[in-house]
Amino acid sequence: MTETAVHPEARAAWAKRLRRLRRALVPHRPKAFRDSLNRWLLMGTVIGIVSGIGAIIFFFCLETGTHYLLETLGGYTPPGTLGEGDGNPGTGLTRPWAIPLVVTGGALVSSILVYFVAPTAKGHGTDNAIHAVHHDPTALRGKVAVIKIIASSLMIGSGGSGGREGPTAQISATAISSLCKKLKIATPDARIAVSAATASGIGAIFRAPLGGALLGAELLYRDDMESDAIMPSLVSSIVAFVVFGSVYGFEPIFGSLSGVQFSQPLQLIWYVLLGLAAGLMGKFYVNVFYGGTKFFDRLKKVPGWLVPAIGGLGVGLLGLVIPAALGTGYGSVQQEMFADNLMRMPLLMVLAIPFAKVLSTTLSIGSGGSGGVFGPGMVIGGATGAALWRLLEGLPGIPSSPMSFVIVGMIACFGSVAHAPLGMLLMVGEMTGNLSMLAPGMIAVAVAGRVVGDTSIYTSQLKDRLEGRRVHAMGRVTKPAEARSEDEAASPKPSIKKPATKKTDGKTTTLP
């Protein structure tokens, strides 16, 4: 048998295997995929496994990049959290001159990689995933996931200010988007699958599967949630959490902070004030971030690959004054949760940290760097809570520990600007191992949401599902031929009888 004869047979065999896999995942009648629990258990498991593995790979690369770039070359070890770094207080700046060089160099290499290989890996990945869900869930390309891992590890690992959830969400969404395209899954079902992938990536990297699942449904809209995505997101998030935790453990990121409890209803007055402060800071964060993004976009005379390096230089110089502006900042928030640490810090430094984090995130991600805005938003909220506690400490009704203010500040600040209050309530509760602050958190995030209004950190969010249906209808992707044939077979169109005609002397007339 010749080689030309073998090749078509091999291709036919692979096509047959793909058809079998698709038949196991894709329905034979409209909407069965979304409405079938059994099918979503199968597909959700696949999504969770892919997302969990993606989170493991990215977390390993980020830890490696941080160790060799910021710690070894920069001479600075950032504080660690109780769940990931045993509460390591970190070190001082042993080589201050190296910090701006390392941050600038990491941003430069990362931006060159993104600019010339995968431009869509630019910026914060969660927004890209949301855009894909609304416009074309199979449009994300596989190479973007690989570039996102490397570029984000370099940018954040060298000290750039960014969150790790954005890259993880885009990595998961991209992998599932490619799978949906390969299996020719219909667009409505692919939207749910990519949404679930986004949720499971966030839930895995933050070790918060329930909060991540709700976020997958809430982040799509400003004033609504995608109810069809909740159950698939729950399945995929739990599986991703198990996969990720089997390698990096299941302990909450900030440890089990069971010592802080809500027991005095009169304290809710102070949490209303905290919600107001967190909402104002959240709105400030969004306005500065997108104002900075527009500024960097207007630098037409500067090559696109060089712009993030300029931002990196600014972050490095800012980090010399306020080290908490560097990296993810989770360890700095952990340090501020304890009264002894917070009282030892100069008041001016405590007040400056949230503003410094806003600026460093704008310089890092707003300039085109690769990273997330979710994590910095929580850090900004936690630092705002710590600063407010420091100002009010000693007044009647103020808790003896800043921990509760830090926890509620994280919920209120990012829950309001992301328009995801329920997801943030559960996620921060899972990250701290403490659900007792849900009542103050609800009050604070409600107040913060009123302050923020329609302002959102995610520009790809739509208003509600009604607008979503209009957008989906206008940008509907044509179904594959196989999917159309299945739909037509399940719901055959009624036949229309053509009127009888008569042809006489070359003229056609319609008979009654």
Side-chain angles (χ1 to χ4, degrees), residues 201-284:
I202 296 174
I205 203 71
F206 280 138
R207 304 177 196 180
L210 297 181
L214 278 181
L215 280 170
E218 285 187 300
L219 290 181
L220 301 179
Y221 306 104
R222 294 192 303 274
D223 301 329
D224 206 342
M225 69 164 53
E226 187 60 69
S227 57
D228 287 345
I230 293 178
M231 192 274 289
S233 297
L234 279 171
V235 175
S236 60
S237 293
I238 292 170
V239 173
F241 170 67
V242 171
V243 172
F244 182 80
S246 64
V247 177
Y248 288 107
F250 299 96
E251 186 177 357
I253 289 181
F254 293 107
S256 297
L257 306 178
S258 57
V260 57
Q261 300 288 331
F262 171 69
S263 58
Q264 300 182 29
L266 290 178
Q267 288 182 351
L268 290 177
I269 297 173
W270 296 116
Y271 290 113
V272 169
L273 181 61
L274 175 56
L276 177 62
L280 291 172
M281 182 56 71
K283 195 163 188 174
F284 176 75

Side-chain angles (χ1 to χ4, degrees), residues 406-416 421 424-425 428-429 437 441 445:
V406 173
I407 293 174
V408 174
M410 288 193 288
I411 296 171
C413 182
F414 198 76
S416 60
M424 283 303 299
L425 279 166
V428 174
M437 301 308 297
V445 76

Side-chain angles (χ1 to χ4, degrees), residues 154-335:
L154 289 170
M155 202 283 294
I156 303 173
S158 63
S161 177
R164 58 197 187 199
E165 84 300 323
T168 311
Q170 188 170 5
I171 291 163
S172 304
T174 299
I176 297 305
S177 174
S178 301
L179 179 63
C180 289
K181 183 175 183 179
K182 189 72 174 177
L183 297 178
K184 299 179 181 178
I185 291 178
T187 301
D189 304 322
R191 286 194 175 100
I192 301 298
V194 173
S195 178
T198 303
S200 56
I202 296 174
I205 203 71
F206 280 138
R207 304 177 196 180
L210 297 181
L214 278 181
L215 280 170
E218 285 187 300
L219 290 181
L220 301 179
Y221 306 104
R222 294 192 303 274
D223 301 329
D224 206 342
M225 69 164 53
E226 187 60 69
S227 57
D228 287 345
I230 293 178
M231 192 274 289
S233 297
L234 279 171
V235 175
S236 60
S237 293
I238 292 170
V239 173
F241 170 67
V242 171
V243 172
F244 182 80
S246 64
V247 177
Y248 288 107
F250 299 96
E251 186 177 357
I253 289 181
F254 293 107
S256 297
L257 306 178
S258 57
V260 57
Q261 300 288 331
F262 171 69
S263 58
Q264 300 182 29
L266 290 178
Q267 288 182 351
L268 290 177
I269 297 173
W270 296 116
Y271 290 113
V272 169
L273 181 61
L274 175 56
L276 177 62
L280 291 172
M281 182 56 71
K283 195 163 188 174
F284 176 75
Y285 172 38
V286 175
N287 291 336
V288 171
F289 180 83
Y290 284 109
T293 301
K294 291 179 181 178
F295 170 77
F296 285 114
D297 288 342
R298 288 196 294 265
L299 298 179
K300 301 298 184 183
K301 295 183 179 180
V302 181
W305 53 268
L306 187 60
V307 174
I310 298 174
L313 178 60
V315 174
L317 295 174
L318 179 62
L320 295 178
V321 182
I322 306 176
L326 300 171
T328 61
Y330 303 144
S332 299
V333 170
Q334 181 86 77
Q335 297 297 313

Side-chain angles (χ1 to χ4, degrees), residues 21 39 45 83 108 137 155 161 170 187-188 211 218 289 305 349 351 357 434 500:
L21 179 60
R39 291 182 184 277
T45 301
L108 178 61
M155 202 283 294
S161 177
Q170 188 170 5
T187 301
E218 285 187 300
F289 180 83
W305 53 268
M349 178 67 74
L351 298 176
K357 197 63 181 175
N434 188 335

Side-chain angles (χ1 to χ4, degrees), residues 107-196:
L108 178 61
V109 176
S110 173
S111 63
I112 289 175
L113 187 63
V114 169
Y115 187 83
F116 291 104
V117 181
T120 53
K122 173 183 176 182
H124 50 109
T126 307
D127 219 12
N128 294 332
I130 295 172
H131 183 274
V133 170
H134 289 309
H135 298 279
D136 187 357
T138 61
L140 300 176
R141 296 294 174 257
K143 70 176 182 180
V144 175
V146 178
I147 299 303
K148 194 72 177 179
I149 291 173
I150 301 173
S152 300
S153 300
L154 289 170
M155 202 283 294
I156 303 173
S158 63
S161 177
R164 58 197 187 199
E165 84 300 323
T168 311
Q170 188 170 5
I171 291 163
S172 304
T174 299
I176 297 305
S177 174
S178 301
L179 179 63
C180 289
K181 183 175 183 179
K182 189 72 174 177
L183 297 178
K184 299 179 181 178
I185 291 178
T187 301
D189 304 322
R191 286 194 175 100
I192 301 298
V194 173
S195 178

Side-chain angles (χ1 to χ4, degrees), residues 92-103:
L93 301 176
T94 57
R95 287 196 293 275
W97 56 269
I99 294 296
L101 298 178
V102 171
V103 181

Side-chain angles (χ1 to χ4, degrees), residues 27-35 189 479 486-488 490-491:
H28 300 291
R29 64 184 187 276
K31 297 186 179 179
F33 190 35
R34 282 171 287 167
D35 300 337
D189 304 322
K479 282 186 178 181
E486 290 178 359
D487 290 351
E488 291 166 1
S491 304

